[in-house]
Amino acid sequence: MPEAPRPPATNVRGTKMSQENDEYFVPAVFREVVGFHLRIAQEASFEAFGVMAGKANLKPGWYALLTILNEAGSMTPSELSRHCGRDRSTLTSTLKALAARGLIQRERKSEDQRSYEVRLTAIGCDIQRRLHAIAIDHERHLDEILGQDKAMLLAILRRIASRV
Amino acid sequence: MPEAPRPPATNVRGTKMSQENDEYFVPAVFREVVGFHLRIAQEASFEAFGVMAGKANLKPGWYALLTILNEAGSMTPSELSRHCGRDRSTLTSTLKALAARGLIQRERKSEDQRSYEVRLTAIGCDIQRRLHAIAIDHERHLDEILGQDKAMLLAILRRIASRV
DNA sequence: TATTGTTATACTCTATAACTATA
DNA sequence: TATAGTTATAGAGTATAACAATA
């Protein structure tokens, strides 16, 4: 099924290639492969967001957590981990860092002494807002790239995520 | 910009949620965010491939390398790294493992004693074929999900990757 | 000087298993 | 016994910097 060998490309992703239409390098075998293009597009998008956040000295990895908290008001770490789709244990160190920097506050639950509610502090709200502004900016950029196709892209991606 | 707080969801990705149309959990704020859905779709697709490869006791991470080598015939590690869009140093340990298992062979270049050509052995070709069969299978599954929309999705993803 | 492959090192993100303190 | 949060540990996957050999 792999295509015939090709003259060795001397190119890198991001470099214009004379034989291709794409502006980034794609090994011939992967040209029509959905998973490949999904990965490249996802990496490009995430990196662009990360660069913008980095310029503002903000951790891109905080964005999802802070935003979910901002939306929910408060939540336990276990609830948060379910909202992120990641294991509880992966949140501990991040929550610790967020607390140490005063972005979140923890409050023991009276009904269940094992657990506690996490909520944003004023600083946390501010940082969330700044990250969100970057995300909005990034999304606007994607909107420009996507034009009329955004709704269709989202529908297709949802279909992949729920049925694959 | 974030929407109003919602009742805390008790759900996890993959679980049906009564209030949503999606079959997996999506925090309200991220519902129309391209980057979020890109990530979820990419993870789902990659994981599905990984599960299939795992069942055959094959490392999904080998697929790209072996397939590029199969296509090109032979290549130096530096060339390979450029084709993958990763730093040279990230390939060393994988190439070592592939050589140790007899999937690739290395041959010193006469013109440049610093470098060598990597090519698949018969075993390497076989493993590549098996991984490729899984990839084809996976792609067929995606084709079923995508139907007529595949070409459009690929075009949109290429646009994101090259312009973001 | 520049490049190739390698090493050392580190950082991010993720997971599992076991621990503790509660329930 | 079961659950919430934590810890220890590990494994991908990636990157940068520096080194030896060679160009």
Side-chain angles (χ1 to χ4, degrees), chain A:
Chain A
M1 213 57 104
E3 303 172 23
R6 308 202 141 232
T10 52
N11 260 355
V12 188
R13 195 134 47 233
T15 308
K16 193 93 184 180
M17 213 178 167
S18 52
Q19 326 146 348
E20 318 290 340
N21 286 331
D22 301 311
E23 286 174 35
Y24 55 99
F25 177 66
V26 179
V29 251
F30 298 142
R31 256 175 228 143
E32 302 301 316
V33 175
V34 173
F36 178 84
H37 291 281
L38 267 179
R39 201 195 81 208
I40 302 298
Q42 196 273 322
E43 281 180 2
S45 161
F46 185 77
E47 212 228 307
F49 176 70
V51 166
M52 289 197 272
K55 280 180 187 162
N57 268 311
L58 301 171
K59 302 264 186 191
W62 291 352
Y63 176 56
L65 242 40
L66 295 180
T67 299
I68 290 170
L69 281 176
N70 184 73
E71 173 182 310
S74 88
M75 228 181 243
T76 67
S78 284
E79 284 164 354
L80 244 187
S81 78
R82 284 188 286 267
H83 278 247
C84 297
R86 310 287 169 212
D87 190 87
R88 297 177 345 272
S89 68
T90 66
L91 259 56
T92 305
S93 68
T94 307
L95 290 177
K96 194 183 287 184
L98 290 173
R101 290 166 207 244
L103 275 63
I104 59 169
Q105 77 189 76
R106 297 140 126 165
E107 198 179 330
R108 274 278 164 225
K109 298 181 78 163
S110 46
E111 332 88 78
D112 187 339
Q113 291 290 118
R114 293 171 304 181
S115 190
Y116 56 83
E117 291 287 327
V118 185
R119 70 174 63 247
L120 296 183
T121 61
I123 299 173
C125 279
D126 180 57
I127 301 284
Q128 191 280 329
R129 229 184 333 256
R130 284 154 65 187
L131 279 165
H132 194 61
I134 292 169
I136 295 283
D137 215 51
H138 181 231
E139 192 70 13
R140 205 174 289 133
H141 182 206
L142 281 167
D143 287 349
E144 279 166 25
I145 292 168
L146 296 173
Q148 301 269 310
D149 296 334
K150 178 170 174 173
M152 170 164 306
L153 173 64
L154 290 182
I156 297 175
L157 293 177
R158 285 191 192 103
R159 224 153 73 215
I160 293 175
S162 56
R163 296 197 212 153
V164 94

Side-chain angles (χ1 to χ4, degrees), chain B residues 43 76-78 88-89 92 96 106 114-116:
Chain B
E43 281 181 1
T76 67
S78 283
R88 311 187 314 287
S89 68
T92 305
K96 195 184 284 183
R106 295 140 128 168
R114 292 171 305 180
S115 190
Y116 56 84

Side-chain angles (χ1 to χ4, degrees), chain B residues 54-92:
Chain B
K55 279 179 188 162
N57 268 310
L58 301 171
K59 303 264 186 191
W62 292 352
Y63 176 56
L65 242 41
L66 296 180
T67 300
I68 291 171
L69 281 177
N70 184 73
E71 173 182 308
S74 88
M75 229 181 242
T76 67
S78 283
E79 283 165 354
L80 243 185
S81 79
R82 284 189 286 267
H83 278 247
C84 297
R86 309 290 169 208
D87 190 87
R88 311 187 314 287
S89 68
T90 65
L91 260 54
T92 305

